[in-house]
Amino acid sequence: MIRLEDVGYVYPGGVEALRGVSLTIGERSSLAIMGRSGAGKTTLIKHLNGLLKPTSGRVTVDGVDTRKATVAKLSRKVGIVFQNPDHQLFAETVEDEVAFPLKNFGFPQDEIKARTEWVLELFNLTRYRKHSPLTLSGGEKKRVAMASIVSWKPKYLVLDEPTLGQDRENKLRLRELFEEFMEEGRTIIMVTHDVEFAAECGFDVALLVDGKVSALGSAREILSNVELLKKASLAAPQMAELFLELEGVEAQPVFTVEEAERLILSRLMSGSGRP
Amino acid sequence: MKTEMAAIEIRNLTYKYQNAEAPVLQNLNLTIEKGEFALVSGPSGCGKTTLCRCLNGLIPHFYGGELEGEIFVDGLNVRETPPAKLASHVGLIFQNPENQLFSFNVERDVAFGLENLGVPPEEIRRRVDWSLELVGISDLKDRAPWELSGGQQQKAAIACVLAMQPSIIVFDEPTSFLDPLTARGIFDVIAKLRRKLDLTVVVVEHRLEALAAHASRLILMDHGKIILNGEPRKILAEAAERLSLKVGIPSVILLHRRLSKLGILEGLTPLTTSEMAAQLRGVLNRD
């Protein structure tokens, strides 16, 4: 379990990025941290592996205060994929990039090989294995960055904007991976602006506004609340927006195309079609 | 040498990165007229970013590699024109704003390109204020880029390019780092600028729902080739049929397609929720 207790963080320049964040992230759970640019989302996740230590309050990972453990130690449990892959990638080839943390954590040789193959395939990167990560497109670099963290299967997988530059097929693969990880008892935490993806993954949502958690609940609850979303500079998923436009704030929360189709068909059947 | 021609004209372009086994762009042909708003999409790795790099001369001048065919941008032959000269004709916004910002404060970053072009100080001041205002970050002009969030950084990068007032701006997934409402604001600004300044705009994006209604043309790529190219409504209807794994088809279009197949809707493919709502109202209110 990761616990944030009244966490405040002030950058050395004086910018107050977090102002009393309290969150409990349990095992086998999934949490999307959402909010406008500058709300403190990235600052918050940097606290999860001790990269940043709170200026006030406290963060514990499985009971260990992040102030009392090294980042190297915490990283084995909490793997963070940052928003910008250029901050993370450095190896000569995609394959070396992915294998590096595994070597670092002392995995046996055959295990390194097997896991490298697995993530390269999972993230659609096998054909680039001998390429330099720097020649890849933004979306591909992002997948290399994710592959190199997913490979060691951290107990807490933290991803900053995982769907950045990803097509539909890669998003579906990501979703399957999340489900597999959660079944294995792992926890997924993602920072995202991708409301459609958060809604279809069914994550819990913590809405961050000005360095504070302004709302916490299911994706369904949070992502259909127009007032809340506006405060966080988010738009509802397109299906939810459609029904808001048709039926106003009383609209039932609808997130997927399938749900929308069912609802429209049932309205037509019952003849109570009046919006 | 500058001749009167389309804003962007690409003929038989094939490009291979240095040391790569296979070309990433293959015999690509594309003409974009002045004043167009072209939206480019396609699966990750299809060559979208490489195409953008060809438009401002990063390819071949920086990346090297093997380039065949011709690229004309604003009448200039990209292969023969130094990038410094191209910069005042075509601006490129990258996926990652950190690759674009380097100064100690935002105002200096935005002024940098203009100083290099020898623009008079008064004009620099005016254009810096103007572009910061347009992207909505006037209040951040004294801040250091590294103090900004990803979204604020991207706005600063956009301001840098706007200030140069090029006739063509190429955006490579410009909203990746922005929250959805801010992203919409940026797209509205781009659309407005294009009309007001007669700009030609090329935007690479995966999220089509926010942009399809703005675009005059949608270009879909796969494996280094253009596979569909035309009016957004028509292209999206076609892509929804056979490319929904490769292209993020907006959900209103997927819903429209389902309901059309059931014979419930018969209107045009909708590009926005409002268009879809109007069609649904027609059906739901019918007795």
Side-chain angles (χ1 to χ4, degrees):
Chain A
M1 187 194 289
I2 299 182
R3 282 176 68 101
L4 291 89
E5 296 164 50
D6 201 22
V7 170
Y9 186 78
V10 182
Y11 277 98
V15 176
E16 197 179 357
L18 296 179
R19 301 191 294 171
V21 171
S22 295
L23 266 180
T24 301
I25 307 168
E27 268 152 48
R28 206 185 282 268
S29 67
S30 55
L31 178 70
I33 299 167
M34 308 185 79
R36 70 170 70 233
S37 308
K41 304 182 297 290
T42 302
T43 306
L44 192 158
I45 61 168
K46 283 183 179 165
H47 279 79
L48 303 181
N49 71 348
L51 215 49
L52 292 179
K53 317 284 184 198
T55 324
S56 59
R58 157 178 123 104
V59 179
T60 55
V61 176
D62 292 340
V64 177
D65 191 320
T66 57
R67 285 202 193 86
K68 293 180 181 127
T70 62
V71 176
K73 190 109 192 266
L74 286 166
S75 294
R76 184 68 182 85
K77 264 190 184 164
V78 185
I80 305 186
V81 183
F82 289 105
Q83 183 181 38
N84 185 348
D86 290 337
H87 288 177
Q88 199 174 318
L89 305 177
F90 64 93
E92 298 269 319
T93 68
V94 167
E95 193 172 43
D96 291 348
E97 186 72 53
V98 173
F100 178 80
L102 296 171
K103 286 180 190 149
N104 229 6
F105 284 128
F107 282 86
Q109 208 43 249
D110 53 341
E111 185 72 18
I112 292 177
K113 198 165 173 304
R115 289 195 182 213
T116 303
E117 296 302 322
W118 167 61
V119 286
L120 287 178
E121 199 51 42
L122 177 69
F123 286 99
N124 235 329
L125 292 166
T126 308
R127 67 188 152 130
Y128 299 126
R129 64 188 313 151
K130 298 287 180 202
H131 290 218
S132 156
L134 302 179
T135 63
L136 304 182
S137 78
E140 290 161 350
K141 280 187 200 169
K142 187 87 202 182
R143 294 208 299 284
V144 177
M146 289 195 277
S148 66
I149 306 283
V150 164
S151 67
W152 85 74
K153 293 195 166 191
K155 182 174 172 191
Y156 303 96
L157 177 63
V158 185
L159 308 113
D160 199 343
E161 299 286 0
T163 61
L164 215 118
Q166 304 310 320
D167 56 37
R168 190 69 207 145
E169 193 186 351
N170 285 314
K171 283 191 194 186
L172 289 174
R173 286 183 177 211
L174 210 50
R175 209 177 122 189
E176 280 167 19
L177 171 74
F178 292 169
E179 280 162 13
E180 195 182 312
F181 264 32
M182 279 158 66
E183 253 178 62
E184 293 170 359
R186 299 173 212 287
T187 293
I188 317 285
I189 299 154
M190 69 171 165
V191 167
T192 187
H193 287 138
D194 192 337
V195 280
E196 308 274 347
F197 189 66
E200 73 173 70
C201 287
F203 277 36
D204 286 335
V205 174
L207 220 53
L208 217 58
V209 176
D210 294 332
K212 278 188 201 146
V213 177
S214 78
L216 177 66
S218 68
R220 201 154 275 277
E221 221 174 299
I222 306 286
L223 299 179
S224 60
N225 187 328
V226 190
E227 283 311 305
L228 275 180
L229 291 176
K230 214 179 275 171
K231 271 207 305 192
S233 194
L234 293 170
Q238 208 178 21
M239 286 298 104
E241 284 206 328
L242 175 66
F243 278 85
L244 282 168
E245 203 163 329
L246 272 173
E247 307 183 338
V249 285
E250 296 302 306
Q252 244 177 283
V254 176
F255 288 108
T256 65
V257 173
E258 291 74 16
E259 282 171 21
E261 186 185 24
R262 271 202 301 277
L263 189 59
I264 288 163
L265 290 178
S266 77
R267 296 273 154 93
L268 286 171
M269 304 284 201
S270 67
S272 62
R274 275 200 46 74
Chain B
M1 187 191 73
K2 193 170 161 174
T3 50
E4 218 25 69
M5 55 200 318
I8 293 167
E9 194 154 341
I10 296 174
R11 297 176 197 149
N12 303 320
L13 172 63
T14 295
Y15 177 73
K16 201 166 82 126
Y17 283 102
Q18 234 157 7
N19 306 325
E21 307 95 75
V24 52
L25 296 176
Q26 295 184 51
N27 199 22
L28 187 141
N29 285 285
L30 178 65
T31 304
I32 295 173
E33 299 297 338
K34 290 198 170 108
E36 272 205 83
F37 191 134
L39 178 55
V40 181
S41 199
S44 182
C46 71
K48 305 182 295 287
T49 294
T50 305
L51 179 64
C52 290
R53 288 173 181 163
C54 288
L55 296 178
N56 79 335
L58 276 176
I59 290 175
H61 301 292
F62 176 76
Y63 282 95
E66 291 168 35
L67 183 134
E68 287 166 38
E70 300 297 336
I71 310 161
F72 291 94
V73 174
D74 207 10
L76 299 166
N77 185 330
V78 168
R79 202 204 288 255
E80 291 163 7
T81 312
K85 185 167 179 206
L86 283 167
S88 54
H89 294 267
V90 52
L92 177 59
I93 304 284
F94 299 103
Q95 281 164 335
N96 175 1
E98 288 192 0
N99 295 344
Q100 220 149 349
L101 304 170
F102 55 87
S103 225
F104 290 106
N105 73 51
V106 169
E107 194 177 24
R108 289 213 56 83
D109 251 322
V110 178
F112 181 80
L114 299 172
E115 286 166 351
N116 270 353
L117 292 182
V119 175
E122 264 321 292
E123 174 70 5
I124 291 182
R125 184 149 301 283
R126 197 189 63 74
R127 284 213 230 163
V128 167
D129 290 346
W130 171 80
S131 41
L132 289 174
E133 178 76 34
L134 273 176
V135 295
I137 56 165
S138 301
D139 55 325
L140 300 177
K141 67 178 183 184
D142 297 323
R143 297 272 289 274
W146 62 85
E147 289 177 340
L148 307 182
S149 72
Q152 292 164 337
Q153 285 178 354
Q154 188 60 306
K155 289 185 192 173
I158 292 174
C160 292
V161 165
L162 284 178
M164 304 281 282
Q165 296 183 337
S167 60
I168 301 164
I169 304 186
V170 181
F171 296 85
D172 189 358
E173 296 187 47
T175 66
S176 298
F177 292 74
L178 301 186
D179 54 64
L181 291 190
T182 310
R184 283 185 192 181
I186 291 289
F187 290 139
D188 289 341
V189 166
I190 296 172
K192 219 178 296 161
L193 283 172
R194 172 196 155 220
R195 285 194 300 269
K196 217 163 108 187
L197 307 171
D198 222 8
L199 283 176
T200 306
V201 170
V202 179
V203 184
V204 170
E205 255 300 338
H206 282 284
R207 290 184 291 174
L208 300 179
E209 65 277 1
L211 261 188
H214 284 307
S216 59
R217 195 185 340 188
L218 176 59
I219 297 162
L220 296 183
M221 295 177 66
D222 196 14
H223 298 299
K225 289 184 175 143
I226 291 172
I227 50 170
L228 287 173
N229 177 3
E231 201 266 317
R233 207 179 291 277
K234 193 172 147 269
I235 300 300
L236 280 170
E238 206 172 329
E241 278 303 321
R242 55 188 181 94
L243 294 170
S244 62
L245 266 186
K246 298 190 166 183
V247 182
I249 307 291
S251 36
V252 286
I253 293 179
L254 295 175
L255 179 62
H256 185 272
R257 186 165 151 262
R258 283 173 177 236
L259 295 175
S260 299
K261 284 202 166 151
L262 293 171
I264 294 169
L265 294 180
E266 46 198 17
L268 283 175
T269 303
L271 292 182
T272 62
T273 50
S274 306
E275 287 180 10
M276 183 62 174
Q279 287 193 35
L280 283 173
R281 268 189 212 106
V283 175
L284 291 170
N285 289 335
R286 200 183 293 155
D287 280 316

